[in-house]
Amino acid sequence: MQSSPKLKPMDMEYFLTDMSDLLQAGIDLDHALGLLARRTKIGVCAKRLQEDIRKGTSTSTSMRQLGIAPVIVNFIQAGEYTGDLELSLRKTATFLQHKRIRREQVQKLLAYPILLAFLTLVVFYILASVVMPSFLKMYAALGLHLSSASADIFAISSTIGVMIPQVMFVLILLSVVVYFAREAVLSRVMRLLLKTRWIGSFIQVMVARRAFEVMSFLLSGGIDLLSACRVMADTNTAGMGMQWQEACHNLERGKTLSEALSNLPQMPPIVFDMMVLAEKTGDMEQGVFRLINYLQRAAERSIDRIIRYIEPVSTTLLGVMIGGATLQLMLPMMELVRRLS
């Protein structure tokens, strides 16, 4: 097996978009890959694909050998089955674009609270380890005894100065653990959060949107429902590989998709209702498309609601941080001025 070209998700998105555009312009696949091979970032991937295709290897098989994500390989394979590789490439690029936009939304959503928490720790650590010890030395140099209130403040500052490095070490350690074992950690966290009321509903909407986005793509590519569920099981779509495998078994036993998904805690109740409606009308592809539109709007409303909550909470935390730092600094200073006067 050849080594992976190590393309970033955004590079892969652009690569597939460029391939789709060239094919749509009437350029054959071999010539299109030759043109893309001249690019710096995607040149290695395009060159290897071109070499494999010239040897008679299919595009999806070559991508799989290059270590490209299984979900992309399955999308391309769906396009090969239907004979419309250009449409498959374009839809795959659109899928990657939507995934990138959602990732950027989450990053923007978490960036401000994380930055605020980091600055809070830094400010309190500087006060506790630099400023307050200087006041304490000043009291000792002047031969002044600390009042009970000042002694409590200095004791709290000393405790904060000791605890903050430990807290930061634990946070860094947890970040490393989550990074290297993120699938197991995220699945456990998701199971816990699904039991909560408001956060659980939000997670259900996000998971369902991601899952049915993939299903819609596969159905629109001419893949039957059972094969689409198998692809989703193989690629662990939305972190529900085992659930999609069970859904495949249920479909093979003659059950409908709505029945197969009815008991999944990751799915909101609206999924069951809209799947029942799609099964009654006989147009599963259109039913899944309508479901995605609903989930998309629901997700956007939920994200807007979270942002509205985050802003006042962050402002309150900022005010508490500033107030705490001010009290920690001003009370010993005022005590010192009063004692000197």
Side-chain angles (χ1 to χ4, degrees), residues 111-244:
Y112 182 64
I114 291 175
L115 179 61
L116 181 61
F118 176 76
L119 290 177
T120 301
L121 291 175
V122 170
V123 168
F124 275 99
Y125 180 72
I126 292 175
L127 286 174
S129 61
V130 178
V131 178
M132 299 305 290
S134 299
F135 274 110
L136 194 58
K137 291 179 182 178
M138 191 179 301
Y139 271 86
L142 295 174
L144 300 176
H145 296 287
L146 295 175
S147 64
S148 59
S150 298
D152 292 338
I153 292 175
F154 280 111
I156 293 173
S157 298
S158 178
T159 304
I160 291 175
V162 173
M163 291 182 59
I164 287 179
Q166 298 175 359
V167 171
M168 296 187 71
F169 174 77
V170 171
L171 291 176
I172 293 173
L173 184 62
L174 288 175
S175 301
V176 172
V177 171
V178 170
Y179 178 79
F180 287 102
R182 51 186 174 273
E183 291 188 3
V185 172
L186 290 176
S187 62
R188 292 176 182 273
V189 172
M190 184 178 295
R191 284 197 296 268
L192 292 174
L193 294 178
L194 282 171
K195 297 178 181 179
T196 62
R197 183 176 180 181
W198 186 76
I199 299 178
S201 300
F202 174 71
I203 292 177
Q204 285 179 330
V205 169
M206 300 299 290
V207 170
R209 181 181 69 167
R210 181 181 175 187
F212 283 96
E213 209 172 43
V214 177
M215 180 176 287
S216 175
F217 175 85
L218 294 171
L219 294 177
S220 64
I223 305 299
D224 62 274
L225 182 60
L226 179 58
S227 299
C229 288
R230 286 173 178 166
V231 170
M232 296 171 73
D234 293 338
T235 57
N236 194 30
T237 300
M240 295 173 54
M242 295 180 61
Q243 288 81 359
W244 291 120

